[in-house]
Amino acid sequence: MQLLTEDIWFPNADEATADGLLAIGGDLSVERLLHAYKNGIFPWFEMDEPILWWSPNPRFVLFPEKLKVSKSMKQILRNGDYTVTISKAFKEVITECSKIKRNGQASTWITNGMVEAYINLHDLGYAKSVEVWRDKKLVAGLYGVDLGNNVFCGESMFTKESNASKAGFITFIQNTNYKLIDCQVYTKHLESLGAEEISRDLFLEYL
């Protein structure tokens, strides 16, 4: 595990700890974030911590062709209860994601600095959001990084209604041409949609 300086660099992913922690420090500049994602690295830290950079092994991913859609979700999608848009309300989506309380975390990892950093990425075309609307109200969404390499690096999602985030995620996958969706670390929710673990080395080959 390395302590970063002002220089834009990261150690080799093989130097990460068993839980995937690779480096500490640095900043959230556009240049550093782009360099990180191109090398399979992402920031994840709580408000009172220094910036922590991760490259977990194994990596949790979803291959779009393996997406699982339950019968109940197919019915919800057919009913047309939700309207799904892309990058129409990025700031609103990341702000809602930052409000979510997660098990085992004392504070949000989407700090004000993180919000500003990813809005900068979005403004430059490197990040996008998925919005889910019902009756013109934002009820769910997700956001992530897109470097133009056919890999979407998912960051976070939120929902105010049961199944709304699933509807957005499924619609997004079914209407894009990504070869891989990076889910970073295991969640039961994404496993139910077909996500699986692969080795870090295999993941890096897709980048």
Side-chain angles (χ1 to χ4, degrees), residues 60-62 66-68 142 154-157 165-166 169-170 173 181-196:
F60 201 52
V61 305
L62 181 119
K66 295 183 179 181
L67 177 68
K68 296 179 181 178
L142 62 99
E155 278 297 315
S156 185
M157 64 173 59
S165 63
K166 280 188 178 181
F169 185 72
I170 291 168
I173 300 245
I181 307 296
D182 175 26
C183 306
Q184 298 180 344
V185 294
Y186 173 86
T187 68
K188 186 175 181 180
H189 172 69
L190 290 173
E191 183 184 43
S192 71
L193 293 170
E196 62 187 274

Side-chain angles (χ1 to χ4, degrees), residues 22 27 39 55 68 82-83 99 106 120 122 126 128 132 147 151 178 198 200-201:
L22 180 64
D27 54 43
N39 289 278
S55 181
K68 296 179 181 178
Y82 300 110
T83 299
K99 297 176 182 177
N120 288 339
H122 169 68
Y126 295 114
K128 62 177 59 174
V132 185
L147 299 178
V151 175
Y178 293 107
I198 63 172
R200 178 168 54 213
D201 287 343

Side-chain angles (χ1 to χ4, degrees), residues 30 35-36 44 55 61 65 84 95 97 100 104 110 112 121 126 135 140 166 179-180 184-185 189:
V30 167
H35 184 62
W44 185 23
S55 181
V61 305
E65 65 272 17
V84 179
T95 299
C97 288
I100 298 173
I110 306 176
N112 290 338
L121 285 180
Y126 295 114
D135 299 328
K166 280 188 178 181
K179 61 184 178 183
L180 187 71
Q184 298 180 344
V185 294
H189 172 69

Side-chain angles (χ1 to χ4, degrees), residues 73 76 81-82 134 139-140 159-167:
M73 276 306 305
I76 289 171
D81 295 335
Y82 300 110
R134 183 199 284 272
V139 296
T159 188
K160 296 181 178 180
E161 295 185 6
S162 178
N163 295 315
S165 63
K166 280 188 178 181

Side-chain angles (χ1 to χ4, degrees), residues 15-16 35 41 48 78 81 85 87 100 102 107 109 121 128 137 143 151 159 167-168 178 182:
E15 297 183 36
H35 184 62
I41 302 163
D48 56 349
R78 281 196 296 267
D81 295 335
T85 58
S87 293
I100 298 173
R102 305 177 193 277
S107 60
W109 63 271
L121 285 180
K128 62 177 59 174
K137 294 182 179 180
Y143 75 95
V151 175
T159 188
Y178 293 107
D182 175 26

Side-chain angles (χ1 to χ4, degrees), residues 1-12 15-17 19-28 32 36 41-55:
M1 184 174 57
Q2 297 279 349
L3 182 64
L4 300 181
T5 65
E6 294 181 356
D7 296 331
I8 306 297
W9 73 282
F10 286 98
N12 188 284
E15 297 183 36
T17 63
D19 59 356
L21 181 59
L22 180 64
I24 297 176
D27 54 43
L28 295 173
R32 192 182 298 274
I41 302 163
F42 59 89
W44 185 23
F45 59 99
E46 293 190 31
M47 192 172 296
D48 56 349
E49 295 178 330
I51 301 173
L52 305 178
W53 300 90
W54 303 80
S55 181

